[in-house]
Amino acid sequence: MRACRARTSEVYVLHEHHQAEDELLWPALHARAPLADDLITTMSRQHAAVASAVERVGREMDEASLKELHDVLIEHLDLEEAAVLPLIHDHLTVAEWHAPQEHAMKHGPAGLTDKLLLAGLVLEDATPRERAWFLSEMPPPARLLWRLVGRRRYARRMRAVRGAGPGGR
């Protein structure tokens, strides 16, 4: 049951992240980087493919649907990192880049457990510089809570989701 709830929370965070990009980033990039319209359209189509794969996982919860989700998500994230992040850096203001984060704070998880999960998801693959920035942006009480409780709770949750055997992290 815990693993199922963890997956549900992660999917919710992913959905909110993609919704914020669809509403806030893609329109700004379409306006500022018209030569990248095909790329931005591809990113939107990939969001739809990820959402479809997530729905299939929810219905079937089998190895084939999980593999499909993995494949479409990795393809999307690789393209986003390689091609979209440079566009964002070159064409958006700091305020426009922060808008999806503000959207996530407003529309994202409300409960403490889910907020700690979100922090863990952000910090897990962050570079040392990104980690320092993210933690510095957290209010001091939240930062202390992360250090005292959040890290261990996140690690326990990921073990439940990913498993402790081979292939688990």
Side-chain angles (χ1 to χ4, degrees):
M1 186 65 157
R2 280 189 190 150
C4 198
R5 182 164 182 237
R7 280 191 295 270
T8 301
S9 297
E10 289 173 329
V11 168
Y12 177 76
V13 168
L14 177 65
H15 172 74
E16 287 298 319
H17 168 78
H18 282 175
Q19 185 175 352
E21 287 178 344
D22 291 343
E23 292 175 14
L24 303 167
L25 290 184
W26 303 155
L29 285 174
H30 273 302
R32 305 259 177 71
L35 294 177
D37 279 347
D38 289 345
L39 171 63
I40 298 161
T41 299
T42 296
M43 298 304 289
S44 293
R45 276 198 303 268
Q46 288 179 341
H47 280 186
V50 169
S52 176
V54 165
E55 286 178 23
R56 182 171 171 221
V57 167
R59 281 190 318 270
E60 299 172 21
M61 193 56 86
D62 64 354
E63 191 170 331
S65 62
L66 289 168
K67 171 97 171 82
E68 176 191 351
L69 174 58
H70 174 268
D71 291 348
V72 297
L73 192 54
I74 292 300
E75 179 184 359
H76 173 71
L77 295 174
D78 286 349
L79 183 59
E80 187 171 72
E81 198 167 306
V84 176
L85 289 179
L87 280 177
I88 289 169
H89 182 266
D90 291 344
H91 297 286
L92 298 185
T93 66
V94 172
E96 289 168 326
W97 173 240
H98 284 148
Q101 297 163 21
E102 292 169 11
H103 181 276
M105 292 306 291
K106 187 184 289 185
H107 301 286
L112 177 61
T113 298
D114 287 338
K115 285 183 179 184
L116 290 173
L117 172 66
L118 178 58
L121 290 169
V122 169
L123 292 167
E124 182 173 1
D125 292 323
T127 65
R129 185 176 179 196
E130 292 166 340
R131 175 179 277 281
W133 173 82
F134 183 80
L135 290 170
S136 75
E137 291 290 311
M138 291 173 84
R143 194 169 42 246
L144 179 63
L145 188 60
W146 169 253
R147 289 184 175 131
L148 293 176
V149 178
R151 279 190 284 207
R152 285 190 309 274
R153 187 178 283 184
Y154 179 75
R156 194 169 45 248
R157 188 125 181 207
M158 291 303 99
R159 280 192 303 275
V161 171
R162 296 175 179 148
R169 289 183 176 183

